[in-house]
Amino acid sequence: TISHIDKSFQALKLFVSMNAGSYSSNLNKVIREEHSFAYSIYAGLISKGKIIYVNAGLDANNCDETIKLIEDELNKFKNGEIDINLLNLSKNEMISVLDAFNDNPGAILNLLIDVNLVYKGIKEFNSTEEYCEMIREYIKNATIEDVKEAANTITLDTIYRLQRDNI
């Protein structure tokens, strides 16, 4: 388990956003726009298990090539080949989500559960605003090196292919 208030967790979230978390992401550009292998491709992060997943709807004939492209993009991040403009765009997107945080009761409840049940012994927050401000500062101050370090903690482990025959 990785804590939401860990600076490295925020760098990992930036990596996910930059890699496949938005229409401006690397995988969207490479898989969707350059190769036309998928209509959409996105990534997510399951923080409690420190699991990153990539989901793409694509033709089974393009699956092996898509996996290779995903690995290539991960390696670019690991080598520090990171677009500063994409980093800044991802930072702005994450900060916008934080700005709306206090208007989302589900997000507030998840935070309270995580802080009180999962991450015992961490700093107590006086308010969700205090939490958001701390995370906002982590995001604002994140560097290419932080994202590179986060990428270097990732190992491609399991690939699931869901396909139907005769469609």
Side-chain angles (χ1 to χ4, degrees):
T1 302
I2 186 170
S3 171
H4 289 252
I5 63 168
D6 187 313
K7 185 177 174 181
S8 64
F9 177 71
Q10 300 307 317
L12 198 56
K13 284 175 52 178
L14 275 167
F15 164 79
V16 170
S17 176
M18 295 171 69
N19 193 43
S22 72
Y23 281 110
S24 302
S25 68
N26 283 8
L27 289 181
N28 194 64
K29 287 179 186 173
V30 172
I31 307 295
R32 181 175 189 253
E33 294 173 10
E34 291 176 17
H35 293 279
S36 300
F37 285 168
Y39 178 74
S40 69
I41 184 164
Y42 61 90
L45 173 63
I46 302 170
S47 62
K48 289 173 186 63
K50 201 175 177 186
I51 297 169
I52 296 173
Y53 62 90
V54 176
N55 188 355
L58 51 104
D59 185 300
N61 295 325
N62 298 326
C63 195
D64 290 333
E65 174 96 17
T66 301
I67 291 167
K68 171 82 172 84
L69 291 169
I70 290 169
E71 290 171 338
D72 290 347
E73 291 305 307
L74 173 58
N75 287 328
K76 286 179 184 177
F77 276 90
K78 287 182 173 188
N79 293 328
E81 299 172 41
I82 299 170
D83 180 350
I84 188 69
N85 294 322
L86 182 56
L87 174 62
N88 290 330
L89 179 65
S90 295
K91 285 180 177 186
N92 289 337
E93 288 172 354
M94 287 176 65
I95 289 169
S96 291
V97 169
L98 275 175
D99 290 343
F101 181 85
N102 286 303
D103 295 330
N104 183 336
I108 293 170
L109 183 58
N110 280 331
L111 170 67
L112 294 173
I113 290 169
D114 286 345
V115 168
N116 291 314
L117 298 179
V118 179
Y119 308 117
K120 293 182 180 184
I122 64 168
K123 177 183 175 195
E124 301 235 356
F125 297 101
N126 294 319
S127 66
T128 54
E129 289 88 359
E130 181 183 335
Y131 165 81
C132 288
E133 186 54 37
M134 184 185 72
I135 300 304
R136 189 178 288 107
E137 287 304 309
Y138 282 167
I139 294 167
K140 283 182 185 177
N141 295 321
T143 65
I144 286 177
E145 188 60 31
D146 294 331
V147 176
K148 177 183 171 186
E149 286 178 22
N152 277 293
T153 67
I154 299 168
T155 303
L156 182 59
D157 182 81
T158 306
I159 299 169
Y160 291 101
R161 294 182 187 192
L162 305 176
Q163 72 184 62
R164 294 187 298 190
D165 294 330
N166 302 323
I167 49 175

